Amino acid sequence: VSASDDRTCRLWDTRVRGEVGCLEDRYQVTAVEYGNDGLTVFTGGIDNCITAWDVRQMKRTMTMKGHADTITCLSLNPKGTHILSNSMDGTLKTWDVRPFVDSGRKRHDKTFMGGTHNAEKGLLNCAWSADGTMVTGGSADRIVHIWDELSSEELYSLPGHAGCVNA
């Protein structure tokens, strides 16, 4: 799966050596992540929203709003129940993406503060620990930030890079 400034997310199959589907958005797509079920793709972009797509029907199934600037990365937790997003607004957020969550309930779960973006507006990454208990995200302040997922408390602030921490 790939995301592009041409406002598309394209699905690829190496067996046929080509594209097998195209999801068309209204804005540039800057982040993409496959769901654990293999039937859902999540995208984020310059509209500051996360969109879930059903790849069987090639249509939107859900949109999550909450960031104030471009989403730069998406990462699904190991259990496949929550997605982590990094945004140029300087926050990382987790979202409940389970299909049976009441649609009237907000899917936004937690916000992690501390990482920064700079004028370069790079596409900074984010990730979960293998057991899903910690999250981390790229930061322009040259520091690796690691948060406890349960409490949203910053556990580690690790200096040492001479440039922006991308991943």
Side-chain angles (χ1 to χ4, degrees):
V1 65
S2 60
S4 173
D5 284 345
D6 67 4
R7 301 183 334 261
T8 66
C9 171
R10 297 187 187 266
L11 309 173
W12 306 92
D13 188 336
T14 56
R15 296 170 296 184
V16 298
R17 296 180 179 228
E19 179 185 324
V20 293
C22 180
L23 306 169
E24 294 188 31
D25 208 336
R26 294 180 296 267
Y27 302 96
Q28 288 93 334
V29 182
T30 55
V32 66
E33 178 77 334
Y34 243 115
N36 281 358
D37 61 6
L39 305 173
T40 307
V41 168
F42 299 95
T43 60
I46 68 168
D47 61 351
N48 314 336
C49 297
I50 299 167
T51 303
W53 303 82
D54 182 325
V55 298
R56 294 168 296 183
Q57 299 177 14
M58 303 303 280
K59 69 176 194 175
R60 264 184 201 90
T61 58
M62 168 177 40
T63 301
M64 296 168 278
K65 300 176 182 178
H67 280 294
D69 206 343
T70 301
I71 294 167
T72 63
C73 186
L74 296 171
S75 178
L76 197 64
N77 77 347
K79 293 180 182 177
T81 60
H82 290 74
I83 198 160
L84 176 67
S85 57
N86 194 349
S87 170
M88 289 183 186
D89 66 10
T91 65
L92 278 78
K93 295 180 185 278
T94 56
W95 309 83
D96 191 335
V97 295
R98 293 175 292 182
F100 54 83
V101 170
D102 179 18
S103 60
R105 182 181 166 267
K106 289 197 171 199
R107 289 186 174 269
H108 173 249
D109 191 32
K110 295 182 180 118
T111 301
F112 304 91
M113 305 288 286
T116 60
H117 283 255
N118 61 15
E120 293 176 12
K121 298 286 189 180
L123 297 181
L124 303 182
N125 288 323
C126 58
W128 297 81
S129 62
D131 62 3
T133 61
M134 294 180 283
V135 299
T136 186
S139 183
D141 63 4
R142 303 186 310 265
I143 296 173
V144 175
H145 297 274
I146 301 172
W147 294 270
D148 177 66
E149 195 284 327
L150 184 62
S151 69
S152 303
E153 176 185 345
E154 188 169 8
L155 297 175
Y156 305 103
S157 179
L158 309 170
H161 282 284
C164 182
V165 180
N166 297 315

